[in-house]
């Protein structure tokens, strides 16, 4: 029972931290390529030119250990000051991807943040 309570607490902490770390960072204009964000045991990937288009971004996450990892994929509209996100987790020694891509351009910025339940890190914003 104590183990499941500890795991539930780690899940809550991991999810809560993502909301904080994904909201900061410097913006980089005209971005293409791939950005990697790592914390111990987890690697998050933000691919800025998915499917051959320089304006579509996708996000994926890989757990390199037996621990669960969390990722939040962010999109913010700087003109309308709206931010949307999608979050998911992967169990130990597995990987997964966000459900859908986000569009990025001069007004839409994208970012990812990841957590292993203890340590969290966010990327910069890219557009």
């Amino acid at each position: 029972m104590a183990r499941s309570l500890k795991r539930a607490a780690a899940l809550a902490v991991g999810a809560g931290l993502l909301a904080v770390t994904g909201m900061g960072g410097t913006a980089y204009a005209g971005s293409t390529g791939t950005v990697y964000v790592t914390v111990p045991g987890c690697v998050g990937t933000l691919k800025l030119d998915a499917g051959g288009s320089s304006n579509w971004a996708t996000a994926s996450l890989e757990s390199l250990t037996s621990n669960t990892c969390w990722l939040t994929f962010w999109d913010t509209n700087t003109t309308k000051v709206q931010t949307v996100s999608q979050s998911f987790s992967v169990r130990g020694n597995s990987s997964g991807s966000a459900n859908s891509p986000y569009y990025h351009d001069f007004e839409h910025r994208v970012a990812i943040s990841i957590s292993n339940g203890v340590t969290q890190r966010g990327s910069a914003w890219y557009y």
Side-chain angles (χ1 to χ4, degrees):
M1 182 67 173
R3 187 176 198 180
S4 63
L5 287 175
K6 183 177 179 182
R7 181 133 177 97
L11 287 170
V13 168
L17 292 172
L18 293 177
V20 175
T21 58
M23 302 308 292
T26 303
Y28 293 89
S31 302
T32 60
T34 304
V35 175
Y36 298 96
V37 178
T38 62
V39 294
C42 307
V43 178
T45 304
L46 175 62
K47 186 166 174 45
L48 293 161
D49 47 0
S53 169
S54 60
N55 291 101
W56 285 100
T58 58
S60 60
L61 178 64
E62 182 177 11
S63 171
L64 305 174
T65 66
S66 60
N67 296 327
T68 299
C69 299
W70 294 266
L71 182 143
T72 299
F73 185 19
W74 303 94
D75 174 80
T76 187
N77 183 325
T78 57
T79 302
K80 296 179 181 177
V81 194
Q82 293 175 314
T83 300
V84 296
S85 67
Q86 50 182 305
S87 299
F88 64 95
S89 63
V90 296
R91 293 185 180 192
N93 298 305
S94 66
S95 60
S97 298
N99 289 331
S100 60
Y102 284 135
Y103 189 79
H104 62 100
D105 61 11
F106 68 95
E107 110 180 86
H108 297 88
R109 298 177 185 183
V110 292
I112 60 171
S113 53
I114 68 169
S115 174
N116 61 9
V118 176
T119 304
Q120 69 283 337
R121 183 165 289 126
S123 74
W125 290 101
Y126 295 89
Y127 62 96

